[in-house]
């Protein structure tokens, strides 16, 4: 199904005119500039053009026009062509020109082996300044840079059925996070517990006195404890949802087809927040120890959530699917027999009598990388996919897809880190062929070959991880040293150092 959707999107791009310019989001103001210490933005890598004197087909030029790579790669038109070459699959990293990503972050990527027309992964690395929206007391705040907050941001976006959703999320998700944090600037810098309510703006709807609606205090139980950390988690969760809603509004006018998995890291006030919606993965390698910072969301890992939704809202199944799971597809000749099954409440298996409704296709089928929801998609959380339908049907899949991430928090102040402690982010192209232990071994092998204060060591590590997952070209495709197939998917990797030179403040 996804291949058909990709083909349809590719046909749309090639048969129509060049896509319209991407307007800025109507819902978000222009990005507030970061403090002077933040690296300046470079223009997005330009699309490639046909060489002079060549009569390239129009559809080739148009396809190139819709292809872009992360800003910080600073690719020339020739570099963009190499990055888009499925045969050579050259690894791309930011140029070693002395202007590095924040924290000397390492990054590397490589295009797929022909799975899709372009690299559908996108990445973003930003330093974002947040100006407070209002003071807790309700009094207008005088603009002052010293009263704001700065957060560091890294994002990997693994697109499917086209790269537009991933490209849009890479440009805008950190802005949504910034908007959600504006109300929290003063609260997060105050050690006292967060206020239960923020004051209304005078004259705004709902700002009139409503004290007569509040009953005696004795009617209420004691107030729940809410931490500053949970406020940041909530801001990130809301930002994901708002990003998904914006994609829904703009999917037609701006040709935002398909969807994407999103893996985001936010560093704020001494803590690292890792938010994941999809099948990308993040791990911390600290003194040789592996600390998982995310989990993948697939039809297998979210079976019970999906089955519960199908059970509570059977109309979403359209009479084509059953929310029950069976070890294999039920055959008509097995009507009346007792077969193994499990429903939304079960982790084990039991027997039930097969009825006519059980002949429908299961909501969740397959296992491992072949697991699919509604026989269509292999991930259950992410952004976009508002137009995705079941193959040969008008049944929408979006109701079963969640845009909410799981957010895990790591407190950097609770451990003394060394320069070899890193946070590794990777799209599924890395983890399909590489285990956590193999990544940790590569971390030790590569970093030990460099001086601890050499900032290029983290880019070298990211490149080693990408090369190790890609493999080398042989007669039967890209192969790993053990002769197993390498990853044919797009591969993108961030390596974020957690200790050593630099300051987190």
């Amino acid at each position: 199904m996804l291949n058909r959707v990709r083909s349809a999107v590719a046909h749309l791009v090639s048969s129509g005119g060049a896509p319209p310019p991407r307007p800025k989001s109507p819902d978000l103001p222009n990005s507030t500039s970061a403090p002077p210490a933040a690296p300046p933005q470079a223009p997005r890598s330009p699309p490639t053009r046909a060489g002079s004197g060549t009569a390239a087909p129009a559809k080739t030029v148009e396809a190139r026009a819709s292809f872009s790579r992360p800003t910080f790669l600073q690719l020339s038109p020739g570099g963009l062509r190499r990055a888009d070459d499925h045969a050579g699959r050259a690894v791309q990293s930011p140029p070693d020109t002395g202007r590095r990503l924040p924290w000397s972050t390492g990054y590397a990527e490589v295009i797929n082996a022909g799975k899709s027309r372009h690299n559908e992964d996108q990445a973003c690395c930003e330093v974002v300044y947040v100006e407070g929206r209002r003071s807790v007391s309700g009094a207008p705040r005088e603009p002052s840079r010293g009263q704001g907050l700065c957060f560091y941001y890294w994002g990997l976006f693994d697109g499917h059925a086209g790269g537009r959703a991933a490209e849009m999320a890479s440009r805008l998700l950190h802005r949504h996070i910034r908007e959600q944090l504006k109300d929290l600037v003063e609260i997060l810098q105050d050690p006292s517990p967060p206020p239960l309510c923020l004051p209304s703006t005078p004259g705004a709807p709902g700002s009139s006195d409503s004290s007569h609606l509040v009953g005696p205090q004795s009617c209420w139980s004691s107030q729940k404890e809410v931490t500053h950390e949970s406020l940041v988690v909530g801001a990130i969760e809301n930002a994901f949802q708002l990003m998904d809603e914006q994609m829904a509004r703009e999917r037609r006018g701006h040709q935002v087809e398909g969807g994407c998995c999103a893996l985001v890291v936010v560093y704020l006030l001494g803590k690292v927040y890792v938010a994941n919606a999809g099948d990308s993965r993040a791990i911390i390698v600290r003194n040789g120890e592996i600390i998982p910072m995310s989990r993948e969301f697939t039809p297998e890992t979210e079976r019970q959530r999906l089955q519960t939704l199908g059970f509570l809202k059977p109309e979403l199944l359209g009479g084509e699917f059953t929310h029950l799971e069976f070890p294999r597809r039920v055959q008509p000749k097995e009507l009346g027999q007792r077969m193994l099954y499990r429903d939304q409440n079960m982790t084990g298996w039991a027997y039930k009598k097969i009825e006519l409704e059980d002949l429908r296709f299961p909501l969740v089928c397959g296992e491992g990388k072949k697991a699919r929801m509604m026989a269509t998609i292999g991930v259950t959380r992410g952004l976009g996919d508002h137009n995705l339908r079941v193959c040969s049907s008008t049944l929408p899949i979006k109701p079963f897809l969640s845009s909410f991430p799981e957010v895990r928090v790591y407190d950097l102040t609770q451990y003394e880190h060394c320069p070899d402690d890193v946070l590794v982010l990777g799209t599924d192209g890395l983890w399909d062929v590489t285990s956590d232990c193999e990544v940790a071994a590569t971390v030790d092998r590569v970093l030990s070959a460099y001086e601890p204060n050499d900032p290029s060591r983290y880019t070298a590590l990211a490149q080693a991880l990408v090369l190790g997952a890609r493999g080398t070209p042989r007669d039967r495709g890209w192969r790993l040293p053990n002769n197993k197939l390498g990853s044919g998917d797009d591969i993108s990797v961030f390596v974020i150092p957690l200790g050593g030179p630099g300051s987190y403040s």
Side-chain angles (χ1 to χ4, degrees):
M1 174 62 185
L2 288 180
N3 289 333
R4 295 187 183 185
V5 176
R6 291 192 184 99
S7 299
V9 174
H11 176 72
L12 178 64
V13 174
S14 62
S15 60
R22 304 182 185 96
K24 292 182 179 178
S25 167
D27 303 313
L28 296 172
N30 292 334
S31 253
T32 305
S33 59
Q41 282 196 352
R44 180 166 290 275
S45 300
T48 57
R49 299 185 178 90
S52 58
T54 60
K59 66 178 182 179
T60 302
V61 176
E62 290 162 5
R64 294 289 186 187
S66 66
F67 174 64
S68 65
R69 298 312 309 141
T71 299
F72 54 76
L73 286 178
Q74 304 176 46
L75 295 178
S76 64
L80 196 60
R81 281 192 293 272
R82 288 189 293 274
D84 202 28
D85 179 14
H86 297 279
R89 299 188 75 191
V91 175
Q92 307 297 320
S93 287
D96 188 9
T97 58
R99 186 176 130 197
R100 301 188 179 277
L101 298 179
W103 293 16
S104 297
T105 296
Y107 176 81
E109 68 172 38
V110 72
I111 195 172
N112 61 80
K115 178 181 176 182
S116 60
R117 178 177 295 188
H118 303 298
N119 188 337
E120 295 179 341
D121 285 0
Q122 285 291 345
C124 181
C125 182
E126 298 282 349
V127 182
V128 184
Y129 179 74
V130 186
E131 185 77 47
R133 201 188 313 273
R134 63 160 70 92
S135 68
V136 172
S137 64
R141 173 188 287 121
E142 292 295 327
S144 171
R145 181 166 294 274
Q147 291 179 330
L149 288 174
C150 195
F151 70 86
Y152 292 81
Y153 173 89
W154 299 262
L156 288 181
F157 306 92
D158 184 354
H160 48 258
R164 291 295 184 86
E167 196 274 337
M168 182 178 184
S170 71
R171 288 187 293 110
L172 297 179
L173 182 54
H174 60 286
R175 299 187 184 185
H176 280 290
I177 295 174
R178 185 195 64 203
E179 288 297 307
Q180 292 301 300
L181 289 174
K182 282 186 175 181
D183 284 328
L184 306 179
V185 167
E186 186 173 334
I187 296 172
L188 294 175
Q189 297 179 93
D190 185 347
S192 59
L196 181 62
C197 299
L198 293 177
S200 299
T201 304
S207 61
S208 59
D209 181 25
S210 58
S211 58
H212 62 284
L213 300 177
V214 181
Q217 186 66 30
S218 58
C219 296
W220 302 93
S221 61
S222 59
Q223 181 177 324
K224 283 187 176 181
E225 180 182 354
V226 177
T227 64
H228 291 78
E229 178 182 296
S230 66
L231 291 179
V232 178
V233 171
I236 295 172
E237 290 171 333
N238 276 343
F240 270 69
Q241 183 183 28
L242 292 169
M243 182 73 254
D244 190 62
E245 291 173 357
Q246 183 177 354
M247 287 182 175
R249 293 192 302 270
E250 301 185 9
R251 66 184 184 273
R252 292 184 179 88
H254 305 316
Q255 299 182 7
V256 183
E257 300 289 345
C260 68
C261 301
L263 176 61
V264 161
V265 172
V266 171
Y267 170 78
L268 177 65
L269 297 175
K271 293 183 178 180
V272 173
Y273 298 82
V274 180
N276 185 45
D279 59 358
S280 298
R281 189 186 307 174
I283 64 170
I284 286 176
V285 180
R286 188 185 69 189
N287 195 26
E289 176 189 5
I290 298 170
I291 304 173
M293 291 302 296
S294 68
R295 69 183 180 101
E296 288 92 305
F297 292 97
T298 67
E300 279 191 306
T301 63
E302 289 217 282
R303 173 186 62 84
Q304 288 179 283
R305 179 184 72 82
L306 302 173
Q307 288 181 314
T308 298
L309 183 56
F311 171 74
L312 295 176
K313 295 188 175 183
E315 66 273 13
L316 297 178
L317 301 175
E320 301 178 33
F321 294 87
T322 173
H323 74 283
L324 301 178
E325 182 184 17
F326 300 92
R328 61 164 172 77
R329 183 77 183 273
V330 179
Q331 304 297 319
K333 63 182 180 181
E334 292 166 333
L335 279 170
Q337 297 183 21
R338 292 171 61 83
M339 179 178 281
L340 287 169
Y341 86 107
R342 58 181 176 181
D343 64 17
Q344 68 277 6
N345 300 311
M346 301 169 63
T347 56
W349 296 82
Y351 288 94
K352 76 176 293 288
K353 183 179 179 180
I354 298 299
E355 301 173 358
L356 191 61
E357 293 78 7
D358 299 327
L359 296 180
R360 298 170 181 167
F361 205 88
L363 174 62
V364 175
C365 64
E367 58 184 353
K369 292 298 292 185
K370 294 183 179 180
R372 292 292 180 269
M373 180 182 66
M374 304 182 88
T376 302
I377 190 168
V379 292
T380 53
R381 297 202 189 191
L383 304 171
D385 288 313
H386 295 278
N387 294 327
L388 189 58
R389 300 288 188 271
V390 174
C391 183
S392 303
S393 170
T394 59
L395 195 62
I397 292 177
K398 183 62 178 179
F400 289 94
L401 300 175
S402 173
S403 61
F404 277 92
E406 178 192 62
V407 184
R408 298 188 182 185
V409 186
Y410 180 80
D411 192 342
L412 278 177
T413 66
Q414 297 300 307
Y415 192 89
E416 186 175 348
H417 296 86
C418 72
D420 289 356
D421 296 336
V422 293
L423 171 59
V424 178
L425 315 180
T427 55
D428 64 332
L430 170 69
W431 306 107
D432 284 348
V433 298
T434 313
S435 68
D436 292 357
C437 291
E438 288 171 330
V439 167
T442 303
V443 168
D444 179 66
R445 173 176 57 82
V446 174
L447 295 186
S448 62
Y450 287 81
E451 292 294 328
N453 60 353
D454 185 347
S456 67
R457 65 205 306 258
Y458 305 110
T459 296
L461 174 54
Q463 292 171 341
L465 291 171
V466 169
L467 286 169
R470 184 202 67 179
T472 55
R474 299 184 187 174
D475 293 339
R476 294 175 295 153
W478 295 84
R479 295 280 170 172
L480 304 178
N482 58 11
N483 206 36
K484 290 184 178 180
L485 278 174
S487 176
D489 201 356
D490 302 312
I491 310 170
S492 301
V493 173
F494 270 127
V495 176
I496 306 171
L498 301 180
S503 170
Y504 300 128
S505 60

